[in-house]
Amino acid sequence: QSNVTLYGRVDLSVGSVKDDGTGATSNDLVNKTRGKTVTRMFHGGDGGLTTSRWGLRGTEDLGGGLKAGFQLENRFNADTGASQDPYFRGESSLSLMGGFGEVKLGRSTTVYDDVRTLGQSRDVFNSAFTASANGVFKSGGDYASRFDNKISYYSPNMGGFYAAIDYAFDEKAGVSEDKHALKFGYKDKAFEVALGHQNEKDKKDKYTVLAAMYDFGSFSMSGSINRRSGTAANGDDEEYALGVTVPMGAFAFSGGYAYSKTKHSTGGAKDGKANGFALGMTYSLSKRTRVYAGWRDVEVKNASGVKTKDERLYAVGVRHDF
Amino acid sequence: QSNVTLYGRVDLSVGSVKDDGTGATSNDLVNKTRGKTVTRMFHGGDGGLTTSRWGLRGTEDLGGGLKAGFQLENRFNADTGASQDPYFRGESSLSLMGGFGEVKLGRSTTVYDDVRTLGQSRDVFNSAFTASANGVFKSGGDYASRFDNKISYYSPNMGGFYAAIDYAFDEKAGVSEDKHALKFGYKDKAFEVALGHQNEKDKKDKYTVLAAMYDFGSFSMSGSINRRSGTAANGDDEEYALGVTVPMGAFAFSGGYAYSKTKHSTGGAKDGKANGFALGMTYSLSKRTRVYAGWRDVEVKNASGVKTKDERLYAVGVRHDF
Amino acid sequence: QSNVTLYGRVDLSVGSVKDDGTGATSNDLVNKTRGKTVTRMFHGGDGGLTTSRWGLRGTEDLGGGLKAGFQLENRFNADTGASQDPYFRGESSLSLMGGFGEVKLGRSTTVYDDVRTLGQSRDVFNSAFTASANGVFKSGGDYASRFDNKISYYSPNMGGFYAAIDYAFDEKAGVSEDKHALKFGYKDKAFEVALGHQNEKDKKDKYTVLAAMYDFGSFSMSGSINRRSGTAANGDDEEYALGVTVPMGAFAFSGGYAYSKTKHSTGGAKDGKANGFALGMTYSLSKRTRVYAGWRDVEVKNASGVKTKDERLYAVGVRHDF
């Protein structure tokens, strides 16, 4: 069948996790790790390189430089076989592409999320081992990485420069939830810089990120500065991330640091603070298969000074693409 | 893999909808459109040509003129990536085929639904823009287009004539829910006519439809007369639909009208009435990809004379097959 | 796409079932069959050869005798199109294989379940018609045939001998649920014998099975002895199964008998007893497609001497692989 490509990835790891935080939680598995080292299996997205997935995609040449394309991507937890929700959580989209750029309809990552990803792309491979993972970036816990009911326009590459915009339609009664995002960037072989912005009206939160990546040859670095501007009750966030990756033959080594501060403008509440360190290593058995080891140390303090999270996670795993 | 074909369709559109009806509804999105134009994205099945889907199918030659075949078809909402329920909602079937015709087991469309589809096949491409869509045909809201636990027999083509029968087993306690349906028809190159009947014992509703299609070359028409015979409490329906399609190069234009009347035999209740108009246009970018625009105007009055729906819908979209 | 194989099976049958048991049940469909013959469609797993499924699998040669492999398998009820839960219920795994054997991560059948399957492999084709199906083996209703969060090691074949071990990580708070299983066996062309053990700490149940299969040429036999050792409240089980299959050209005939006894050590409770007979026949239309007929008679008495189940099931069906 030439019209469709069936692809996917399975990522599984085994490791240990311990959380000395004291914040209340209803999460069964987090409770189990409170003050105690728990050895467990991770399904990639929670303690590995990437979330497991399978999908369908294809493009059709329509002539005259015009192309149609689609992508449908399911995400699943490979340790239990459970599908994530919604079914095509990763992507469910249809595109028309040409000299004018690309128009995409459906559910897919926001262009703001693209920039955020760029800013952490060298930070332990933008994985669950990324320094900002699991609570360091407050906005990571609340911004929407994908919009439903979205129409997007991606410009063509214009001498290295690019731009893109997202608009998600408002389909809920009683609340104005239309959302939009945009990005501008410049990219050449070894360097990329981009500015992204996302506005989620229903939550009254605005996100702005400046991110860059530079490949020095023997190593590459990425970094980002991110701000969330919320209501007086929500407070504002400032977030910083820095990452470095060093390839050595079939090996790649990487490290990262991330820091965030939540400022509350309402009466007297202190700032919440969080930071994370991470280190990782991959070894490529082939283009499609790599083994890896990673470590992540995350500390989150809320506005009352309570450590809601104080987690150390180690894991070794395998990632296989098909 | 020669044994299985992976196929599908993504259909997405953007448009506006307004409903001046006053009937109470708990549907959030309908409430949002009450007396107000809402611009939104549609997932094909709710404001486009067809429901998005992906599936697996194949046939095996068993020798001696005998074949085995299967089809599994998922339906999903492409605007959000959500799977419809059940998982293989479109079809989940196994067939044995030969000179005797076809015996099919599992879940699939009823043969009555086949005839109903024929009767609206030229009516804005049997899509969400079909004149009868969304409440004009009362039976469209209550008959089962597919049966679970179904065994079907489809006759071979006998000089243009064909027949088929469905029987769905009764698998619920405390209620007799066995259902059946049958159809008879005649088909040649340019003409098809068929009679269909469906009996759903659990709801005490019987449906009968007479439908035809004629291709005049420069244009083609379809039409149907449909009756639901229910209990005194359910009332009876009479439904009529007419559609025409005019191909012009890569374009196709289509229009349709549908009308229905629900008669209540119980004391003094007036008739419910509904009607719908629809117009649509498609432009084929290729055999697999077309863009389209459509308009639908639906008005539904209940037995108390209240307009429960008074909806106008416009949309432009893209449909891509793989 | 050479990296992935798309495969599956659809199994559907039609037959009748009657249950003269008197034990209370909340199962709607079982209630319907109480003292009454019900004709219905079965989805393979409940009255056919095997559960319907579709899946993705592949292996990659990594060089140096090392291979990577994955398997993702969905199970579904072909009579209604409903997916079983979790989504990749059948298997969700990633493997590294080499001269050392195989290490597998994720969700898959336990090695104890492998031995149990061997012991019934000639007993009506290890299907829903297997003599032990549906309540004869008490442990069949309570042991876990698959573990989530599992790491397994399978030895290579060592002159016919093999061994394997499963360990499933404990990921629930407030209960120690880590589980393990192991097996040892010997296999040559016509003979296989294996010992399996499974320990499910959370339920305080231990399972041990000894199973064998012998192919005499004109017929083959399988058998097993199985013990569950539980708490005083749970009691202990003893289970026995014997099966024979006779191939005759495109036909295969099979019969089986299974018996179980639950011993309660607590004060005065009698033993629960259950037994089942089964007969079946398959006819291969091709390597991928077979039609079949089967009969199963199951009787279950609880510790109070009440027949909770007294079921007779007949069905004819089709199974198609792709």
Side-chain angles (χ1 to χ4, degrees):
Chain A
Q1 184 84 358
S2 61
N3 299 336
V4 51
T5 299
L6 180 56
Y7 70 95
R9 171 177 290 176
V10 186
D11 190 330
L12 281 166
S13 63
V14 171
S16 71
V17 57
K18 186 184 178 196
D19 184 352
D20 291 322
T22 54
T25 176
S26 61
N27 185 310
D28 204 38
L29 193 46
V30 171
N31 271 324
K32 195 176 187 77
T33 65
R34 281 288 159 89
K36 199 171 64 170
T37 298
V38 171
T39 305
R40 54 168 295 215
M41 184 165 289
F42 299 97
H43 59 69
D46 59 350
L49 288 190
T50 40
T51 303
S52 298
R53 69 203 61 183
W54 75 273
L56 307 172
R57 68 183 165 215
T59 56
E60 183 194 13
D61 196 331
L62 299 169
L66 199 65
K67 277 197 223 179
F70 75 96
Q71 185 167 4
L72 304 171
E73 187 173 294
N74 173 261
R75 299 294 182 102
F76 65 94
N77 298 345
D79 54 347
T80 63
S83 175
Q84 293 186 2
D85 189 55
Y87 185 62
F88 288 129
R89 182 188 187 87
E91 178 136 358
S92 170
S93 73
L94 188 54
S95 291
L96 287 176
M97 295 162 273
F100 62 88
E102 176 176 359
V103 174
K104 186 186 272 196
L105 301 176
R107 173 186 173 86
S108 62
T109 54
T110 69
V111 296
Y112 165 82
D113 185 68
D114 293 346
V115 179
R116 221 170 163 282
T117 298
L118 168 70
Q120 300 184 72
S121 55
R122 266 59 188 175
D123 181 8
V124 198
F125 322 103
N126 187 29
S127 69
F129 298 123
T130 296
S132 74
N134 230 317
V136 176
F137 280 4
K138 181 169 188 312
S139 75
D142 58 12
Y143 89 103
S145 63
R146 287 166 180 84
F147 289 162
D148 290 340
N149 307 303
K150 178 162 77 82
I151 181 163
S152 305
Y153 168 71
Y154 302 86
S155 79
N157 188 314
M158 297 169 294
F161 292 92
Y162 62 80
I165 185 162
D166 287 325
Y167 179 76
F169 293 98
D170 172 17
E171 303 196 2
K172 257 185 202 152
V175 57
S176 180
E177 65 154 9
D178 58 337
K179 304 167 190 158
H180 63 260
L182 62 170
K183 71 173 176 183
F184 301 94
Y186 175 82
K187 183 181 188 177
D188 70 13
K189 273 188 182 175
F191 174 63
E192 184 169 1
V193 61
L195 182 69
H197 180 74
Q198 182 160 315
N199 189 338
E200 302 185 25
K201 275 197 185 172
D202 54 338
K203 292 188 303 156
K204 300 183 178 170
D205 275 322
K206 293 178 192 179
Y207 305 88
T208 308
V209 60
L210 178 66
M213 181 281 298
Y214 199 98
D215 187 344
F216 295 89
S218 57
F219 70 102
S220 60
M221 294 189 71
S222 63
S224 64
I225 302 174
N226 196 19
R227 278 167 191 257
R228 180 179 61 87
S229 163
T231 62
N234 290 345
D236 297 336
D237 297 325
E238 278 181 22
E239 302 171 343
Y240 307 91
L242 197 66
V244 58
T245 292
V246 186
M248 292 183 70
F251 286 94
F253 300 88
S254 178
Y257 174 71
Y259 172 80
S260 81
K261 202 160 76 168
T262 298
K263 296 189 223 173
H264 285 87
S265 50
T266 47
K270 285 183 192 171
D271 293 351
K273 283 178 191 179
N275 63 73
F277 293 89
L279 284 176
M281 186 197 82
T282 66
Y283 179 78
S284 294
L285 294 166
S286 76
K287 278 195 181 178
R288 291 168 45 207
T289 306
R290 60 184 65 184
V291 291
Y292 60 84
W295 164 70
R296 184 181 80 200
D297 190 326
V298 163
E299 197 180 288
V300 180
K301 260 188 203 162
N302 68 12
S304 313
V306 175
K307 273 195 195 176
T308 56
K309 175 169 290 204
D310 185 7
E311 188 201 77
R312 274 159 308 288
L313 181 151
Y314 306 80
V316 296
V318 190
R319 188 178 92 177
H320 176 71
D321 289 346
F322 61 90
Chain B
Q1 183 84 359
S2 61
N3 299 336
V4 51
T5 299
L6 181 55
Y7 71 95
R9 170 178 291 176
V10 186
D11 190 332
L12 281 166
S13 63
V14 171
S16 72
V17 58
K18 187 186 177 194
D19 184 352
D20 291 321
T22 54
T25 175
S26 61
N27 186 308
D28 205 35
L29 194 46
V30 171
N31 271 324
K32 196 178 187 72
T33 65
R34 282 288 159 91
K36 200 172 62 172
T37 299
V38 170
T39 304
R40 55 168 295 214
M41 184 167 287
F42 298 96
H43 59 68
D46 58 351
L49 289 189
T50 40
T51 302
S52 298
R53 69 203 61 184
W54 73 274
L56 308 172
R57 68 181 166 215
T59 56
E60 183 193 15
D61 195 331
L62 299 169
L66 200 64
K67 278 195 222 180
F70 75 97
Q71 185 167 4
L72 305 170
E73 187 174 295
N74 173 262
R75 298 293 181 105
F76 65 95
N77 298 345
D79 53 347
T80 62
S83 175
Q84 294 186 2
D85 188 55
Y87 185 61
F88 288 129
R89 181 188 188 87
E91 178 135 0
S92 170
S93 72
L94 189 54
S95 291
L96 287 177
M97 294 161 274
F100 61 87
E102 177 177 359
V103 173
K104 186 185 271 195
L105 300 176
R107 173 186 173 86
S108 62
T109 53
T110 69
V111 297
Y112 165 81
D113 186 68
D114 293 345
V115 180
R116 220 171 164 282
T117 298
L118 168 69
Q120 300 185 72
S121 55
R122 265 60 188 176
D123 181 8
V124 198
F125 320 103
N126 188 28
S127 69
F129 298 124
T130 295
S132 74
N134 230 314
V136 177
F137 279 5
K138 181 167 187 314
S139 74
D142 57 11
Y143 89 101
S145 62
R146 287 166 180 82
F147 289 162
D148 289 341
N149 306 303
K150 179 163 77 83
I151 182 164
S152 304
Y153 168 70
Y154 302 86
S155 80
N157 187 313
M158 298 168 293
F161 292 92
Y162 61 80
I165 186 162
D166 288 323
Y167 179 75
F169 293 98
D170 172 17
E171 303 196 5
K172 259 184 202 153
V175 56
S176 180
E177 64 153 10
D178 59 335
K179 302 166 190 158
H180 63 261
L182 63 168
K183 71 172 177 184
F184 302 94
Y186 175 82
K187 184 182 186 175
D188 69 15
K189 272 187 181 176
F191 173 65
E192 184 168 0
V193 59
L195 182 68
H197 180 74
Q198 182 160 315
N199 188 338
E200 302 185 26
K201 275 198 187 173
D202 53 338
K203 293 188 303 156
K204 300 186 178 169
D205 276 321
K206 294 178 191 177
Y207 305 87
T208 307
V209 60
L210 177 67
M213 182 281 295
Y214 199 97
D215 187 344
F216 294 89
S218 57
F219 70 101
S220 59
M221 295 188 71
S222 64
S224 64
I225 301 173
N226 196 19
R227 278 167 190 259
R228 180 179 62 84
S229 163
T231 61
N234 289 346
D236 297 336
D237 297 323
E238 280 181 21
E239 301 171 342
Y240 306 90
L242 196 67
V244 59
T245 291
V246 186
M248 292 183 69
F251 285 94
F253 299 88
S254 177
Y257 174 71
Y259 172 80
S260 81
K261 203 159 76 169
T262 298
K263 295 189 227 177
H264 285 87
S265 50
T266 45
K270 286 184 194 169
D271 292 352
K273 283 179 190 178
N275 63 73
F277 293 89
L279 284 176
M281 187 197 81
T282 67
Y283 178 79
S284 294
L285 294 166
S286 75
K287 277 195 181 178
R288 290 168 46 207
T289 306
R290 60 183 66 182
V291 290
Y292 60 85
W295 164 68
R296 184 181 79 201
D297 190 327
V298 163
E299 198 181 287
V300 180
K301 259 187 203 162
N302 70 9
S304 314
V306 175
K307 273 195 196 174
T308 55
K309 176 170 287 209
D310 185 7
E311 188 201 76
R312 275 160 306 289
L313 182 151
Y314 305 80
V316 295
V318 191
R319 189 179 91 177
H320 176 72
D321 289 346
F322 59 91
Chain C
Q1 184 82 357
S2 61
N3 299 336
V4 51
T5 299
L6 181 55
Y7 71 95
R9 172 177 291 176
V10 187
D11 191 330
L12 281 166
S13 63
V14 171
S16 73
V17 57
K18 187 186 179 194
D19 185 351
D20 292 321
T22 54
T25 174
S26 61
N27 185 311
D28 204 37
L29 193 46
V30 171
N31 271 324
K32 195 176 186 75
T33 65
R34 281 288 158 88
K36 198 172 63 169
T37 298
V38 170
T39 305
R40 54 167 296 213
M41 183 166 288
F42 299 97
H43 60 68
D46 57 350
L49 287 190
T50 40
T51 302
S52 298
R53 70 204 60 183
W54 74 272
L56 307 172
R57 67 180 166 218
T59 56
E60 183 193 12
D61 195 332
L62 300 167
L66 199 64
K67 276 196 224 181
F70 75 97
Q71 185 168 5
L72 305 170
E73 187 174 293
N74 172 262
R75 298 292 180 105
F76 64 96
N77 297 346
D79 53 348
T80 63
S83 174
Q84 293 186 2
D85 189 56
Y87 184 63
F88 288 129
R89 182 187 188 88
E91 178 136 0
S92 170
S93 72
L94 189 54
S95 291
L96 287 176
M97 296 161 273
F100 61 87
E102 176 177 358
V103 174
K104 186 186 273 199
L105 301 176
R107 171 185 174 86
S108 62
T109 53
T110 69
V111 296
Y112 165 81
D113 185 68
D114 293 346
V115 180
R116 220 170 165 283
T117 298
L118 168 69
Q120 301 184 73
S121 56
R122 265 59 188 177
D123 182 8
V124 197
F125 321 103
N126 187 29
S127 70
F129 299 123
T130 294
S132 73
N134 230 315
V136 176
F137 279 6
K138 180 167 187 316
S139 74
D142 58 10
Y143 89 102
S145 62
R146 288 166 179 83
F147 289 161
D148 290 339
N149 306 303
K150 178 163 78 83
I151 183 165
S152 305
Y153 168 72
Y154 303 86
S155 79
N157 187 313
M158 298 169 293
F161 291 92
Y162 62 80
I165 185 163
D166 288 322
Y167 179 77
F169 293 98
D170 172 16
E171 303 196 4
K172 258 186 203 151
V175 56
S176 180
E177 64 153 8
D178 59 337
K179 304 165 190 159
H180 62 261
L182 61 169
K183 69 173 179 184
F184 302 93
Y186 175 82
K187 184 182 185 175
D188 69 16
K189 272 187 182 175
F191 173 65
E192 184 168 1
V193 60
L195 182 69
H197 180 74
Q198 183 160 314
N199 188 338
E200 303 185 26
K201 276 198 187 172
D202 53 339
K203 293 188 301 156
K204 300 184 178 171
D205 275 321
K206 294 178 191 178
Y207 305 88
T208 308
V209 59
L210 178 66
M213 182 282 297
Y214 200 97
D215 186 345
F216 295 90
S218 57
F219 70 100
S220 58
M221 293 188 72
S222 63
S224 64
I225 301 173
N226 197 19
R227 279 168 190 257
R228 179 179 62 84
S229 162
T231 61
N234 289 344
D236 297 336
D237 297 323
E238 280 182 20
E239 302 169 342
Y240 307 90
L242 197 66
V244 58
T245 291
V246 186
M248 293 183 69
F251 285 94
F253 299 87
S254 178
Y257 174 71
Y259 172 81
S260 81
K261 202 160 76 169
T262 298
K263 297 190 224 176
H264 284 90
S265 49
T266 46
K270 287 182 190 170
D271 293 352
K273 283 178 189 179
N275 63 74
F277 294 90
L279 285 177
M281 185 197 83
T282 67
Y283 178 78
S284 294
L285 294 167
S286 76
K287 277 195 178 175
R288 291 167 46 206
T289 306
R290 61 183 65 183
V291 290
Y292 60 84
W295 164 69
R296 185 181 79 202
D297 189 328
V298 163
E299 197 180 288
V300 180
K301 260 188 204 163
N302 68 11
S304 313
V306 175
K307 273 195 196 175
T308 56
K309 176 172 288 209
D310 185 6
E311 187 201 77
R312 274 158 308 287
L313 181 152
Y314 306 82
V316 295
V318 190
R319 189 179 90 176
H320 176 72
D321 290 347
F322 60 90

